Amino acid sequence: MISSALCSPFNLTGLILCPIAGVILAGLIPEDRVRFVYRIGLCTSLFTFLCSLLFWIRFHASTADFQAVEAIRWLPDSDAYIVIGIDGLSLFFVVLTTFLIPTCFLVGWSSIPQRKEYTIVLLVSESILIAVFCMLDLLLFYVFFESVLIPLFLLIGIWGSRERKIKAAYQFFLYTLLGSVFMLLAILIIFSHTGTTDVPILLTIEYGERRQLLLWMSFFASFSGKVPMVPVHIWLPEAHVEAPTAGSVILAGILLKLGTYGLLRFNISMCPVATLYFTPLIYGLTLIAIVYTSLTTLRQIDLKRNIAYSSVAHMNLATLGMFSLNIEGIEGSLYLMLSHGLVSSALFLCVAGLYDRCKTRLLTYYGGLVRTMPILSAFFLFFTLANMSLPGTSSFIGEFLVFVGVFARNHSIAGMGGVGIMIIGAAYSLWLYTRVACGQLKPQTLGRCTDVQRREAFIYLPFIAGVIWMGVYPDVYLECLHASLTTVVQQGAFELPRSEDVGPC
Amino acid sequence: MLDRAELLGLFPEILLWDTTLILLVLGMMVARTPARPAAPFVRTVAWLGLHCVLLAIVLVGVGIPITINSIHDILLTDSFTHCCDIFLLVGTAGTIMLIVDHGGRDTLRAFETIVLILLSTSGMLVLISASDLLIMFIAMELQTLCFYVLAASKRDSECSTEAGLKYFLLGAFSSGLFLFGCSMVYGSTGVTNFEELGILALTRSWGVPDPSTGIPIIGILCIVVGFLFKITAVPFHMWAPDVYEGSLTLVTAFFSIAPKIAIFANMVRVLNHCFHDHDWQSLLFFASIGSMILGTVAAMAQQKVKRFVVYSSIGHVGYLCIGFAGGTTMEGIQSLLIGLLIYLFMTVNVFGLFCAVRPVRSQYLGDLGVFGKLHPLFAITFSLTMFSYAGIPPLAGFCSKFYLFFGAIRCGADVLAGLGVVTSVISCFYYLRLVKLMYFDLPGEYMIPPRLDRDNSIVLAITVACITLMFLYTSPLFLVTHYMAMGLFAESGVGFSGSVA
């Protein structure tokens, strides 16, 4: 099985190595012809995207097994293999990653200094991110989970916009690292007790209750920083605001998904007893986060910070849905993550379009955008509506499924979450839009601005197509998720306590 | 008389001694000829010395690692010493390569530096394969005597003289302690050979009140303290920052690479092979904790390049000492060796970079700015090494830390693993600071970017490739170290008991 997989031309190793090939090509370009380097980056990432689509096409939706599995021996004496493979949980994250990276090249086509380094950093982070989602080995998952810090640290620190960027880069790095070392300890404990770090094997092992609680907390310490849950979410607005546009797109689109992906893959699948035990904790934290960050969003005056806080709210809603522990909830939460990857990345792109022209992100300088930039305002409106989950867009399907799942578990929590995200979310989204686009034109900032160019407009089109497609015909995505999620829920035997909860209140 | 096999086993040492003598004579003759009055001969000597070391690597490499007890059992050659010899020679070769180009510059006029480096390397080779308390002490003295001279080699600098004096006083003191420990052991057992001490330790119990029946704990503790002095572990680290800062950068590079390998190899041999009971373990436990904490905290406050490197190397010694906490388990020793080898690569790399910028001005960390803009390859190399020191995953530094912590958890030293993890997170802060200096800060004054010469570039390229790509194919490293640890335990017959989970 392994050898035949390695022989086929388009396998996962090839997908991971694709951007690396681009890195090598870009590295070989001499200094005086550096103009060319951007095309290489774009072409490589587009090619990677096409390759990843191939995996989607060839994906068997009927099975929960890992597909396209490859194994390469890594450590000699301890059965540590580099095992990669995808299943329903990870397939779309891989596709999302490869979808977003070409956008990162397109958005900074003319305005980025030090292009060679920029291309290399972007492609390296793409390769690492694909590897994280494919990796079926706990230790190597950790390795790639952490190693994405290096390119992103450099990305924020070097190409960030202001002096605060250094603080932001530090915060980003240290918050994530501090959480993850607990995961490292958990991995070491697992490794020294079972002798393997192979995820499919580890999923079949049942730990004792105390150990599950310990492992769960260690993993949670790491993933909660990435999600981000409420006490450790401070790094996110800082990092988002200071990062360059590509950095924000990667952060919001992919990096936040690492946390929720990890929660689903490791906390829920590997420690079901501890998951049930800690569910109230998650509910409490996510509810606080949803309401608190939604309210915080209302009083932000920085455009990027606004979107960053609304990302926190949406990711916490996804976590809430995930811990409803039934199929609808988890499917909804995965769907919400995918949709958020599209919507908030697109919103960051809109803000980048504004920032490139006016060189400010403060809301007070904006107003009457529709008069000078009608096309950008239209795109902005569309994605703002998608962000507040208008029916017909992808977020609606995600949020709807999440609330179906959470209602089945607990009415009052679902109600509070719904109030938080639906009402306050609509409030901040609409208020933000009206303050930017409607009202008096402010000639000192927007007076001389021209509307989006053709290249910029083309960037938004795939996002719009994706949002609408996911919104009107979700079945394409859901059928790929279904088998894997069913297995997760059945393995954890989460369905048992549900019958007690549901019933005439 | 030596027989054929013993002679073969001693071949690298003999080669180094001969080369040392030849180079010394040659240097004296050529340097004093009236035809070339002031020509510094360093470059040629360094070049010859480098090739001699490379030849020695080949000699060790092609030799079959069979177990040989030579010269009345005072030297022991087996697979462990075989690989350690190679590590040491690779480290020495790396350091000399950094020096070669400096021969032409004004910093290094005396060719004796190279001769002394070769001489101390031969001392360390003997130290690695020493199998007797006496020969161990003699080899260690040979090595440290060379070091005293090297530390004070820059005579017109006050710092260097002070460094030499400090190093000499404290080194002599620690040697005295060490010798006292050896004589206690000899006095109570009547034996100095490691093999026999090991057998004795198996049969007799420790800590018996009557000193005539067992090996006295005081003796062993004195020996361990002597070792801790030499590896700059924490309670006995006082000399290191001053000495390292005062000496020439090239000499500092040699100090912080080669002796660590030799002394750690010797420590493993002595502590695990002949004193394989665990009385010394608590001492190393605390030395490890202390080094990790002090290395981390103190490095945070440094402004000077070399002091920074010293404190970070003290921290790394702390991590390496975790390997001893596992005592006689295979994982402990294996992780120690892995950590040592990766430390070697990283340190050679860092010093290669510092040697490159040295002529310009590199006393303070702040001077490292601008390189991000003016010399991007330099900057990215430096940043990768710093990330690797910090233990960020895909780099080699993570492999070493991961396996050290794994060894600690495996043998139940959860405290050490937890503390190591926490300190390595804190240490990220100051390693990142260097990256920040390199890329994000704009310095007040610009200076000329360094000229990386050819040899230096080769060293840097090799080490950076090892650091970044090691995780893709770790099998050779793990196999070699596993083999070494096996070789170590094969004779003593202990150790496997501890490794079963």
Side-chain angles (χ1 to χ4, degrees), chain A residues 85 120-121 156 159 167 192 259 271 300 303 334 341 370 377 431 447:
Chain A
I120 289 174
V121 164
I156 297 174
W159 290 280
K167 189 182 166 215
S192 73
C271 314
Q300 297 302 320
L303 279 172
L334 279 175
V370 277
S377 322
W431 199 34

Side-chain angles (χ1 to χ4, degrees), chain B residues 239-261:
Chain B
W239 56 276
D242 292 334
V243 172
Y244 282 33
E245 195 199 347
S247 324
L248 285 171
T249 311
L250 308 164
V251 172
T252 314
F254 190 58
F255 278 0
S256 45
I257 296 162
K260 296 251 160 60
I261 298 170

Side-chain angles (χ1 to χ4, degrees), chain B residues 169-484:
Chain B
L169 286 177
L170 285 164
F173 176 64
S174 68
S175 298
L177 260 178
F178 190 81
L179 192 60
F180 180 66
C182 292
S183 54
M184 293 270 293
V185 170
Y186 175 62
S188 57
T189 58
V191 177
T192 57
N193 191 288
F194 289 173
E195 202 79 26
E196 291 162 24
L197 278 171
I199 294 165
L200 215 59
L202 270 186
T203 52
R204 298 191 189 180
S205 59
W206 297 73
V208 184
D210 182 8
S212 61
T213 54
I215 307 173
I217 293 174
I218 290 291
I220 293 167
L221 290 191
C222 282
I223 290 177
V224 173
V225 167
F227 276 134
L228 291 182
F229 256 109
K230 304 281 182 200
I231 58 169
T232 70
V234 128
F236 314 106
H237 68 285
M238 307 75 85
W239 56 276
D242 292 334
V243 172
Y244 282 33
E245 195 199 347
S247 324
L248 285 171
T249 311
L250 308 164
V251 172
T252 314
F254 190 58
F255 278 0
S256 45
I257 296 162
K260 296 251 160 60
I261 298 170
I263 290 172
F264 265 112
N266 191 240
M267 260 174 103
V268 168
R269 170 76 73 192
V270 173
L271 296 181
N272 283 319
H273 194 169
C274 68
F275 305 140
H276 44 67
D277 218 332
H278 304 313
D279 290 308
W280 43 268
Q281 228 171 35
S282 51
L283 198 59
L284 279 166
F285 198 88
F286 287 116
S288 168
I289 291 178
S291 305
M292 286 193 288
I293 292 177
L294 184 112
T296 308
V297 174
M300 212 177 272
Q302 300 306 318
Q303 294 299 330
K304 290 185 173 176
V305 167
K306 273 198 254 174
R307 290 186 89 85
F308 174 82
V309 176
V310 174
Y311 280 111
S312 109
S313 93
I314 288 175
H316 274 268
V317 164
Y319 293 123
L320 290 179
C321 283
I322 292 179
F324 281 111
T328 45
T329 57
M330 287 286 284
E331 275 93 5
I333 299 305
Q334 200 185 340
S335 64
L336 173 70
L337 294 170
I338 291 172
L340 206 53
L341 192 64
I342 290 173
Y343 171 80
L344 167 91
F345 283 127
M346 293 191 298
T347 315
V348 169
N349 187 288
V350 158
F351 275 104
L353 293 164
F354 286 152
C355 288
V357 294
R358 229 194 58 77
V360 189
R361 187 187 58 170
S362 70
Q363 214 180 355
Y364 290 95
L365 287 174
D367 299 337
L368 289 173
V370 294
F371 291 132
K373 295 270 185 310
L374 297 183
H375 210 305
L377 267 182
F378 180 95
I380 194 68
T381 308
F382 191 87
S383 313
L384 282 176
T385 316
M386 283 301 126
F387 280 123
S388 169
Y389 261 126
I392 303 299
L395 306 172
F398 171 73
C399 287
S400 95
K401 276 188 187 169
F402 163 75
Y403 210 68
L404 281 164
F405 298 152
F406 173 65
I409 283 195
R410 198 72 185 263
C411 71
D414 295 342
V415 181
L416 275 184
L419 197 72
V421 159
V422 170
T423 50
S424 70
V425 169
I426 299 171
S427 73
C428 274
F429 177 75
Y430 56 79
Y431 290 124
L432 282 185
R433 190 170 138 235
L434 290 195
V435 179
K436 182 194 92 159
L437 283 173
M438 192 73 77
Y439 275 117
F440 309 161
D441 287 2
L442 285 175
E445 51 182 309
Y446 283 82
M447 58 180 196
I448 312 151
R451 188 178 61 84
L452 289 176
D453 57 73
R454 194 176 52 113
D455 300 311
N456 206 333
S457 315
I458 293 172
V459 173
L460 288 181
I462 292 173
T463 45
V464 150
C466 288
I467 287 170
T468 45
L469 302 180
M470 185 172 274
F471 93 103
L472 287 178
Y473 191 55
T474 42
S475 304
L477 177 68
F478 277 79
L479 278 177
V480 163
T481 48
H482 191 74
Y483 172 70
M484 289 166 72

